[in-house]
């Protein structure tokens, strides 16, 4: 299935590449951005990259299980976002700070 | 009366000290603690003498064995037994114990309870490792002995005690872990000889025929041999793995030094005799030259370095390196004189070096100094002490009619049988040994009154009292043993002759019968 | 597809249900009581009851080798034992929490709620054989934990720990999931039981599958803190309240390793020698990094955190062995046994730290233990036992744990890994000895923060006794575990 | 059985004395201590006589009384018993040791009565006798070695008896360690014999000794005997291990008489005679022994010429005389060696005791330059000293004459002798006559140079009686072994000595003996030459040191380098210290510093540093920035991916 030509039609590979790109962008976002909210968004981006990958595989494997998984992932991503935001909010309330560089007291 | 005939006497010997430790740790009265401990150690001695009484010295078989499954899955069992190789070491351990307790009567004034608990746990561990016939059981006792010793040096030791105790611990631990790996590896091989089941029994290990190719280092037998040998060599300690010993000795409290020199070092040489040589006969023979060479280097190096030590304990510590070099030499020449002498020398060293440490402890209690150069002319101030010191010194430098001579003579003879060159190097140790010990004796006891003696003359508070009755009681058994073992070595060697002959005659396919 | 939920399903899942229900009790009471926190002791009792019942149910019904919910959860020996370890160590963590200065008693019921749910997540994680269920369990466990980490009287470091844990943990989840998606793509299934048949062949043929496996493995490596994915561990362990650290080091680690074990047990590694090589190097790296870093720490909690990394390395050896061996039950038993060992000794060690901490901002340093043996001989002895056990010295449990673990490695021919493990043990001895030195050999007047920490004391002493007694009689326990695992 | 008891009493009596005095060592009662000790040795002496009588009663070929007490060391083929033998050789030694010993004990009562440690002194002395008895009675080399080391120990204790003087304590140590060097070789010799012959029992060894001569230097017998001889050089103060004996004079003078003149130092000679069949079988060893003996005889004598300490002169004289004994055994004249051993024991003990008496009278002054003219203060001492002097310079018909002359003759005439050996022996005799006469002249004769504050007085009877007895023995003892030539001359006195020893001495092989022929006239001539030269030398010394002192001073001035060389004992001590001992100590320090501290411990520290630095590296990487951590994760991911997928 990977032999499908890249340019003739939109195939699995395109989705996978897209997913990989999104995953990488998400990762890069985490690595590079200083703002915790943006980092949180980057995490969501990574999870969404996973979702794309699941859906694409689901479609090309003719297996709907993948799509079910996406629901799970989305749900949990939401929970995760909630938890993450909760932590960030509590931090912001106390320290008025969402810069990631602020959190470097634990080290060594 | 026939108490000793009980078949579980070995378990009694191993676990009685643990029970004592438990009792001591819950003993309510501080004042009677020492008496209690002394009493316990005497009971223990009595029990071990029962063992001696019932021991059958006409056979090389393992006696008084007890075997219970411990960890069935891996064929690990609680398997203890005694034969001619371990018997005397057991007795040595139990004999030294009351002496140590009595010797520490005054010097240990803090945490007396903890000290005695540690001492009894240590005794149990040492006895266990001498009696264990199962690899894992042996390893457990072997390592267990480190812990109380670690505390004894670390809590009741001198100024640099922590450095010394950690060094001691790490050195010995490093070696023994390799041994553990080797034990695990050998356990994996046992199904060959047991017909399918894994076993950690030493008797099954003996049956293994581990492939050996001369000259190829990376063959199983050679690697296993070195894994074991390094563990034991550190404990012995064999040059160049000896540097933990001077530190540990110097910093340890008197009883710590005594037990270290007296018994713990013997665990290493015992390991060679019980484990390394019978288990890996080819590698042992093939690399015997290496250990003989290291033994010889140890003898000479230890002696040379002892000569220049300013601290009494350090001097005696290096003398231990030298003496234990003899033991290794005797073991690896692999003849009856060498091995018999080594086994005997183990006991001698335990007694005479133990005695020296006790004596040094006594003088240290009075003057709080071990620096040889501060002494001089002590013989006039403490004549009885001087007599004892000289007697023990004579034992240490192997003057005939003391125990040291018999062992050293036999080892040297064995060395000669191995090679003339080896014996030439070995006898230089005889000369050097006399040199450093007499140098110390001269500088402590003879000559004009030194700094400390002078100070004591002017200051009534620091007057040097000669040995007290208690101290004489501490040293008397040692002196008696020195002469007894010097005069009647057969009474002791007879117990081990069969075992040694058996080992030498069946080196290639050693096995032990169970009686 | 015929979906039906029978009684068997309910009975087997009952520990999770019980945990969830019990987690609600304190919270509900609080809400009904106009948001007034009831006595923490009551909460504690409720929580312990919940955990106790869950454990009982797990013993009763778990280990029956049945799958439920259409092959989502498998209740086999591993579930039973790992679950029990997780539950018991969680209980111990909660006990510590009850008596730690950093615990916000006004929110105690919330913490308990989170803790019990985290345990429920663990049970799901342990029993899940579907990778998506694994993910659900993992997230349930982790999300609760993130919040628990943040819930401390101490304001600064615990928050930092929580956010670090959260961000890094989420990356790991994403990596894991990404891997799952590739496994799904290449094999059309994410059920490990089904994977088991095809894994070893597929991994050789299908790069996509291998790609997915690597992501999944690394996702787990992060959770069980295998270097270089361990970087969160020391920081989070240090920042979190000590009882939570204990909870993390024991329950979370056990659950994660148990799930990881299921992946390894598919024997998927056997297909790719490269992967096996890498994993071995990771094990070596982990042990080394953990031990050498612990060597230079002064903060005891951080030392134990690094030591936890090192222990992960040891367990990882066992895990690799499981992945390679034909008869994985023995190696798996060694891993579970070591997890048990490690859980008990960590609980004890962190428990002692927790008892010494005087305030929420207090960190116990190595020198800060000076004189502890004089003030608290019994506790000092217990701590010594824990440390000796961690160092792997006989005759205590830690030694036997290592013996079985390295024994398994040696029997699979991974002698060099065992050798590394042993070399590392030598380094480790040094830093395990230092607290002992401090307690016994240095003058000082360290004491516990309060002499009435009965629950913690009992727990610590019980752990110590467990370590000694089970250490001496580890054979039957090992056989028992092995029997239920095979 | 009664023999056994007799031997037991003989041995245990001094031991008992040692224990009695040892346990009451604080006592300062010299009467009790001295009586106990002297009695103990006297009992032994009586036993010795009884045993000797028993021996006499036995037929010549089987004169041997053994007492087997218990098995001592028993391992493998090694079977050493605590068994003791009295035979022709050991019975003579017994008589010397206990007889002379008893006299010296008696002498000590007077000599040591003012000393605080008198009880200790006597206990040591008894202990010495005990060990010496073990040495001579032991039936195997190992048993002998027990006594061998035991006497060394006693010697150590007694030399350092006045231990508060650092030099004296050092002298004791030097003696012990030098002896240890010999002992080490002795041990090796024993091992070689044991591994070759399978036994260490003297009789078995002697029976097994090969009858064919061993030509090789590296043969077992040669090597073994050489090693044993090195042991003997230590104990008997021969080149190169003689250096301890002059220093040993630090001990009380009776000790010098007993240990360092009469008994212990002869142990080496005794050992060789004990094993004479073995030595006979090793001509090379014999040659070495003879050369060493002759060289020692001459060298020690030359040093003796310039010594000014009365005891040092006697000490070098002892070394020199021991050289004669070795010369004798080296040329195969075991009987002559033994004879000289005995006569020397008498006259040297006499002279030492005499010197003790002098020192006692002079209040511990030992420098002969500060004496002179003591004749009139110490008549008994002077008279007995003269007897000793005559004996040692070989004045005809004194005991020394017979024994020394026999040695000189044998060294020339024996098939293993050589003219040069005779020349050396004669030279030694000349020098001996010179320095002994010098000693006499400076001490007793001429003008008094005694310090005004010192009032010499004759010693009490306990000291003079032993002197007299020994004096008598020094005169007459030679007659029991009159050499053949003189016997001819004096009317066929039988040589009792040779007859007595014949059964236990193995003669040189017949073919060797037949290869040389010497006439009686040669013997007379050589005897005449040596005696004449010695007498001339004695007269010359008398003249120089009583009348014309300036000759001595002028000679010393004109031969300054030689004088210095002799005065400093050929710088042997300095060479030993400078070339061996000091470098050894210095290098040991370096050794310790380099190996223990700088290599082994350094390696340990390096290992721990590696670990610590690794830890610090990890610490640096763990910088608290979570993005950094995320980067580790992604980097790890990439590396793992690329390794697994790309390879």
């Amino acid at each position: 299935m990977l032999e499908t030509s890249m340019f003739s039609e939109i195939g699995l590979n395109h989705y996978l590449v897209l997913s990989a790109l999104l995953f990488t962008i998400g990762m890069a976002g985490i690595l590079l951005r200083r703002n915790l909210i943006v980092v949180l968004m980057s995490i969501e981006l990574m999870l969404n990259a996973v979702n794309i990958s699941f859906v694409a595989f689901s479609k090309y494997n003719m297996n709907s299980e993948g799509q079910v998984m996406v629901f799970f992932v989305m749900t949990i991503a939401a929970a995760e976002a909630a938890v993450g935001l909760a932590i960030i909010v509590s931090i912001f309330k106390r320290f008025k700070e969402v810069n990631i560089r602020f959190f470097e007291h634990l080290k060594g | 009366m026939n108490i000793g005939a009980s078949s579980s006497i070995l378990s009694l010997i191993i676990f009685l000290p643990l029970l004592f430790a438990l009792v001591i740790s819950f003993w309510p009265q501080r004042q009677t603690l020492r008496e209690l401990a002394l009493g316990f150690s005497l009971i223990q001695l009595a029990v071990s003498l029962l063992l001696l009484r019932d021991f059958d010295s006409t056979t090389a078989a393992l006696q008084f064995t007890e075997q219970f499954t411990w960890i069935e899955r891996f064929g690990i069992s609680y398997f203890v037994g005694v034969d001619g190789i371990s018997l005397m070491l057991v007795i040595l351990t139990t004999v030294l114990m009351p002496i140590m307790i009595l010797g520490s009567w005054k010097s240990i004034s803090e945490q007396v309870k903890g000290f005695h608990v540690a001492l009894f746990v240590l005794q149990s561990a040492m006895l266990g490792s001498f009696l264990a016939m199962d690899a894992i059981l042996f390893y457990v006792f072997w390592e267990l002995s480190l812990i109380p010793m670690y505390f004894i040096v670390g809590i009741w030791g001198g100024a640099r005690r922590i450095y010394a105790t950690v060094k001691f611990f790490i050195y010995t631990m490093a070696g023994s872990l390799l041994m553990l790996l080797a034990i695990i590896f050998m356990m994996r091989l046992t199904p060959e000889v047991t017909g399918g089941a894994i076993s950690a029994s030493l008797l099954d290990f003996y049956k293994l025929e581990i492939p050996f190719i001369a000259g190829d280092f990376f063959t199983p037998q050679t690697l296993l041999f070195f894994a074991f040998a390094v563990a034991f060599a550190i404990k012995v300690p064999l040059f160049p793995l000896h540097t933990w010993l001077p530190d540990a000795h110097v910093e340890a409290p008197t009883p710590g030094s005594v037990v270290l020199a007296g018994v713990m070092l013997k665990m290493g040489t015992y390991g060679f005799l019980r484990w390394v040589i019978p288990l890996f006969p080819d590698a042992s023979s093939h690399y015997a030259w290496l250990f003989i060479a290291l033994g010889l280097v140890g003898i000479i190096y230890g002696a040379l370095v002892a000569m220049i030590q300013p601290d009494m304990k350090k001097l005696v510590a290096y003398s231990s390196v030298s003496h234990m070099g003899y033991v290794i030499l005797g073991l690896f020449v692999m003849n009856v004189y060498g091995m018999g002498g080594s086994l005997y020398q183990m006991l001698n060293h335990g007694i005479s070096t133990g005695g020296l440490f006790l004596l040094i402890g006594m003088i240290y209690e009075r003057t709080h100094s071990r620096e040889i150069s501060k002494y001089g002319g002590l013989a006039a101030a403490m004549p009885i002490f001087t007599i004892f010191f000289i007697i023990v010194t004579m034992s240490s430098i192997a003057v005939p009619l003391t125990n040291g001579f018999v062992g050293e003579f036999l080892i040297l003879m064995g060395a000669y049988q191995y090679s003339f060159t080896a014996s030439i190097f070995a006898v230089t140790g005889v000369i050097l040994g006399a040199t450093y010990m007499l140098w110390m004796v001269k500088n402590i006891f003879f000559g004009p009154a030194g700094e400390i003696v002078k100070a004591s003359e002017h200051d009534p508070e620091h007057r040097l009292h000669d040995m007290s009755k208690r101290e004489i009681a501490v040293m008397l058994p040692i002196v008696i043993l020195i002469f007894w073992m010097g005069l009647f070595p057969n009474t002791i060697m007879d117990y081990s002759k069969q075992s040694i002959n058996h080992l030498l005659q069946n080196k290639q396919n050693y096995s032990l019968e169970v009686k | 597809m015929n979906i039906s939920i029978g009684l068997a399903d309910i009975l087997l899942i009952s520990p999770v249900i019980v945990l969830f229900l019990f987690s609600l009790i304190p919270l509900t009471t609080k809400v009904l009581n106009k948001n007034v926190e009831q006595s923490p002791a009551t909460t504690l009792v409720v929580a312990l009851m919940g955990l106790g019942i869950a454990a009982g149910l797990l013993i009763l019904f778990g280990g029956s080798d049945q799958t439920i919910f259409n092959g989502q959860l498998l209740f086999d020996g591993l579930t039973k034992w790992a679950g029990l370890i997780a539950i018991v160590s969680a209980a111990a963590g909660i006990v510590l929490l009850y008596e730690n200065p950093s615990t916000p008693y006004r929110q105690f019921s919330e913490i308990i709620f989170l803790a019990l749910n985290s345990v429920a997540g663990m049970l799901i994680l342990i029993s899940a054989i579907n990778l998506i269920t694994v993910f659900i369990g993992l997230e349930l466990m982790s999300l609760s934990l993130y919040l628990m980490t943040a819930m401390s009287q101490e304001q600064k470091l615990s928050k930092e720990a929580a956010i670090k844990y959260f961000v890094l943990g989420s990356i790991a989840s994403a990596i894991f999931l990404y891997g799952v998606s590739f496994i799904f793509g290449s094999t059309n299934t994410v059920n490990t039981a089904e994977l088991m048949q095809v894994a070893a062949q597929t991994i050789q043929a299908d790069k996509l599958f291998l790609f997915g496996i690597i992501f999944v493995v690394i996702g787990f490596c992060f959770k069980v803190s295998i270097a270089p994915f361990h970087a969160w561990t020391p920081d989070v362990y240090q920042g979190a309240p000590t009882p939570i650290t204990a909870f993390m080091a024991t329950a979370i680690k056990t659950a994660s390793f148990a799930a990881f074990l299921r992946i390894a047990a598919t024997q998927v590694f056997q297909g790719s020698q490269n992967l096996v090589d890498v994993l071995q190097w990771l094990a070596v790296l982990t042990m080394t990094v953990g031990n050498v870093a612990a060597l230079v720490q002064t903060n005891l909690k951080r030392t134990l955190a690094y030591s936890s990394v090192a222990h992960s390395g040891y367990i990882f050896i066992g895990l690799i062995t499981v992945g390679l061996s034909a008869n994985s039950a023995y190696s798996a038993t060694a891993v579970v046994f070591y997890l048990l060992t490690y859980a008990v000794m960590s609980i004890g060690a962190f428990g002692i730290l927790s008892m010494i901490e005087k305030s929420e901002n207090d960190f116990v340093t190595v020198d800060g233990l000076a004189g502890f043996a004089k003030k608290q001989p019994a506790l000092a002895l217990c701590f010594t036992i824990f440390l000796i056990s961690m160092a792997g010295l006989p005759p205590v449990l830690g030694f036997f744990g290592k013996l079985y673990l390295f024994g398994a490695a040696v029997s699979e021919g991974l002698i060099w890994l065992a050798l590394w493990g042993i070399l590392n043990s030598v380094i480790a001895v040094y830093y395990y000895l230092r607290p002992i030195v401090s307690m016994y050999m240095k003058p000082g007047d360290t004491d516990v923060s309060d002499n009435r920490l009965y629950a913690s004391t009992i727990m610590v002493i019980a752990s110590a006794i467990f370590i000694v007694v089970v250490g001496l009689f580890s054979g039957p326990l090992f056989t028992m575990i092995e029997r239920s695992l095979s | 059985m009664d023999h056994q008891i007799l031997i037991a009493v003989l041995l245990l009596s001094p031991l008992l004395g040692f224990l009695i005095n040892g346990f009451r060592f604080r006592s300062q009662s010299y009467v009790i201590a001295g009586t106990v000790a002297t009695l103990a040795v006297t009992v032994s002496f009586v036993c010795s006589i009884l045993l000797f009588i028993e021996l006499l009663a036995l037929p010549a070929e089987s004169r041997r009384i053994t007492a087997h007490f218990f098995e001592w060391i028993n391992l493998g083929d090694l079977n050493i018993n605590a068994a003791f033998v009295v035979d022709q050789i050991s019975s003579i030694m017994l008589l010397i040791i206990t007889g002379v010993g008893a006299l010296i004990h008696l002498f000590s009562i007077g000599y040591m009565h003012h000393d605080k440690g008198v009880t200790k002194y006597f206990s040591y002395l008894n202990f010495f006798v005990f060990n010496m008895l073990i040495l001579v009675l032991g039936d195997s080399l190992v048993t002998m070695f027990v006594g061998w080391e035991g006497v060394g120990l006693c010697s150590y204790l007694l030399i350092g008896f006045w231990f508060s003087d650092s030099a004296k304590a050092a002298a004791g140590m030097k003696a012990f360690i030098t002896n240890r060097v010999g002992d080490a070789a002795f041990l090796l010799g024993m091992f070689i014999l044991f591994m070759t012959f399978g036994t260490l029992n003297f009789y078995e060894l002697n029976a097994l000794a090969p009858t064919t001569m061993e030509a090789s230097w590296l043969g077992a017998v040669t090597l073994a005997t050489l090693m044993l001889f090195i042991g003997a050089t230590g104990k008997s103060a021969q080149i190169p291990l003689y250096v301890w004996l002059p220093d040993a004079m630090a001990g009380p003078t009776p000790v010098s008489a007993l240990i360092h003149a009469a008994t212990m130092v002869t142990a080496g000679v005794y050992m060789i005679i004990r094993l004479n069949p073995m030595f006979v079988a090793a001509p090379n060893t014999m040659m070495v022994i003879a050369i060493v003996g002759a060289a020692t005889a001459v060298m020690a004598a030359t040093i003796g010429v310039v010594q000014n300490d009365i005891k040092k002169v006697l000490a070098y004289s002892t070394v020199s005389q021991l050289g004669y004994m070795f010369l004798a055994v080296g040329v195969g004249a075991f009987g002559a060696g033994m004879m000289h051993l005995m006569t020397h024991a008498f006259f040297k003990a006499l002279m030492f005791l005499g010197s003790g008496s002098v020192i006692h009278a002079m209040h511990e002054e030992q420098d002969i330059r500060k004496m002179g003219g003591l004749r009139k203060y110490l008549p008994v001492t002077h008279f007995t000293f003269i007897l000793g002097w005559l004996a040692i310079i070989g004045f005809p018909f004194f005991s020394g004459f017979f024994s020394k002359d026999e040695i000189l003759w044998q060294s020339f005439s024996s098939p293993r002798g050589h003219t040069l050996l005779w020349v050396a022996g004669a030279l030694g005799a000349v020098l001996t006559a010179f320095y002994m006469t010098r000693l006499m002249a400076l001490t007793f004769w001429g003008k008094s140079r005694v310090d005004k504050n010192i009032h010499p007085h004759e010693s009490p009877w306990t000291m003079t009686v032993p002197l007299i007895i020994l004096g008598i023995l020094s005169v007459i003892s030679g007659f029991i072994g009159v050499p053949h030539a003189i016997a001819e001359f004096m009317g066929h006195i039988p040589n009792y000595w040779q007859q007595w020893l014949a059964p236990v001495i193995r003669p040189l092989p017949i073919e060797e003996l037949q290869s040389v022929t010497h006439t009686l006239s040669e013997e007379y001539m050589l005897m005449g030459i040596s005696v004449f030269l010695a007498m001339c030398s004695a007269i010359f010394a008398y003249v120089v040191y009583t009348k014309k002192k300036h000759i001595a001073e002028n000679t010393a001035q004109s031969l300054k380098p030689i004088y210095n060389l002799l005065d400093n004992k050929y710088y042997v001590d300095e060479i030993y210290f400078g070339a061996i001992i000091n470098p050894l100590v210095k290098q040991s320090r370096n050794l310790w510093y380099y190996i223990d501290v700088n290599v082994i411990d350094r390696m340990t520290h390096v290992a721990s540093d590696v670990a610590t630095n690794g830890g610090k590296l990890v610490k640096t990487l763990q910088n608290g920035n979570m993005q950094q951590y995320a980067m580790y994760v992604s980097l790890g991911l990439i590396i793992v991916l690329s390794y697994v997928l790309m390879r």
Side-chain angles (χ1 to χ4, degrees), chain B residues 443-450:
Chain B
N443 285 333
I444 295 175
F445 295 101
F446 302 149

PDB file of all heavy atoms in Angstrom, chain B residues 443-450:
ATOM      1  N   ASN B 443      61.322   0.148  69.345  1.00  0.00           N
ATOM      2  CA  ASN B 443      60.986   1.563  69.485  1.00  0.00           C
ATOM      3  C   ASN B 443      59.895   1.834  70.495  1.00  0.00           C
ATOM      4  O   ASN B 443      59.774   2.932  70.998  1.00  0.00           O
ATOM      5  CB  ASN B 443      60.598   2.152  68.130  1.00  0.00           C
ATOM      6  CG  ASN B 443      61.825   2.351  67.274  1.00  0.00           C
ATOM      7  OD1 ASN B 443      62.908   2.536  67.794  1.00  0.00           O
ATOM      8  ND2 ASN B 443      61.648   2.289  65.979  1.00  0.00           N
ATOM      9  N   ILE B 444      59.072   0.827  70.756  1.00  0.00           N
ATOM     10  CA  ILE B 444      58.032   1.054  71.756  1.00  0.00           C
ATOM     11  C   ILE B 444      58.563   0.776  73.155  1.00  0.00           C
ATOM     12  O   ILE B 444      58.369   1.559  74.075  1.00  0.00           O
ATOM     13  CB  ILE B 444      56.807   0.165  71.483  1.00  0.00           C
ATOM     14  CG1 ILE B 444      56.164   0.546  70.164  1.00  0.00           C
ATOM     15  CG2 ILE B 444      55.784   0.309  72.599  1.00  0.00           C
ATOM     16  CD1 ILE B 444      55.024  -0.354  69.781  1.00  0.00           C
ATOM     17  N   PHE B 445      59.224  -0.342  73.283  1.00  0.00           N
ATOM     18  CA  PHE B 445      59.527  -0.809  74.628  1.00  0.00           C
ATOM     19  C   PHE B 445      60.926  -0.465  75.099  1.00  0.00           C
ATOM     20  O   PHE B 445      61.153  -0.289  76.274  1.00  0.00           O
ATOM     21  CB  PHE B 445      59.317  -2.318  74.698  1.00  0.00           C
ATOM     22  CG  PHE B 445      57.899  -2.705  74.492  1.00  0.00           C
ATOM     23  CD1 PHE B 445      57.471  -3.190  73.275  1.00  0.00           C
ATOM     24  CD2 PHE B 445      56.979  -2.536  75.499  1.00  0.00           C
ATOM     25  CE1 PHE B 445      56.149  -3.523  73.086  1.00  0.00           C
ATOM     26  CE2 PHE B 445      55.657  -2.865  75.319  1.00  0.00           C
ATOM     27  CZ  PHE B 445      55.239  -3.351  74.095  1.00  0.00           C
ATOM     28  N   PHE B 446      61.844  -0.417  74.162  1.00  0.00           N
ATOM     29  CA  PHE B 446      63.225  -0.270  74.578  1.00  0.00           C
ATOM     30  C   PHE B 446      63.707   1.149  74.321  1.00  0.00           C
ATOM     31  O   PHE B 446      62.953   2.014  73.920  1.00  0.00           O
ATOM     32  CB  PHE B 446      64.101  -1.286  73.838  1.00  0.00           C
ATOM     33  CG  PHE B 446      63.654  -2.704  74.067  1.00  0.00           C
ATOM     34  CD1 PHE B 446      63.823  -3.668  73.097  1.00  0.00           C
ATOM     35  CD2 PHE B 446      63.053  -3.068  75.261  1.00  0.00           C
ATOM     36  CE1 PHE B 446      63.398  -4.974  73.309  1.00  0.00           C
ATOM     37  CE2 PHE B 446      62.632  -4.362  75.490  1.00  0.00           C
ATOM     38  CZ  PHE B 446      62.805  -5.318  74.497  1.00  0.00           C
ATOM     39  N   GLY B 447      64.980   1.310  74.574  1.00  0.00           N
ATOM     40  CA  GLY B 447      65.549   2.641  74.395  1.00  0.00           C
ATOM     41  C   GLY B 447      65.168   3.548  75.543  1.00  0.00           C
ATOM     42  O   GLY B 447      64.479   3.143  76.481  1.00  0.00           O
ATOM     43  N   PRO B 448      65.642   4.774  75.495  1.00  0.00           N
ATOM     44  CA  PRO B 448      65.323   5.709  76.571  1.00  0.00           C
ATOM     45  C   PRO B 448      63.831   6.045  76.564  1.00  0.00           C
ATOM     46  O   PRO B 448      63.163   5.902  75.548  1.00  0.00           O
ATOM     47  CB  PRO B 448      66.161   6.938  76.235  1.00  0.00           C
ATOM     48  CG  PRO B 448      66.477   6.807  74.792  1.00  0.00           C
ATOM     49  CD  PRO B 448      66.493   5.364  74.462  1.00  0.00           C
ATOM     50  N   ALA B 449      63.343   6.479  77.704  1.00  0.00           N
ATOM     51  CA  ALA B 449      61.925   6.785  77.842  1.00  0.00           C
ATOM     52  C   ALA B 449      61.498   7.808  76.806  1.00  0.00           C
ATOM     53  O   ALA B 449      62.117   8.848  76.640  1.00  0.00           O
ATOM     54  CB  ALA B 449      61.637   7.309  79.241  1.00  0.00           C
ATOM     55  N   GLY B 450      60.453   7.498  76.077  1.00  0.00           N
ATOM     56  CA  GLY B 450      59.959   8.398  75.044  1.00  0.00           C
ATOM     57  C   GLY B 450      58.997   9.423  75.600  1.00  0.00           C
ATOM     58  O   GLY B 450      58.747   9.486  76.811  1.00  0.00           O
TER      59      GLY B 450
END
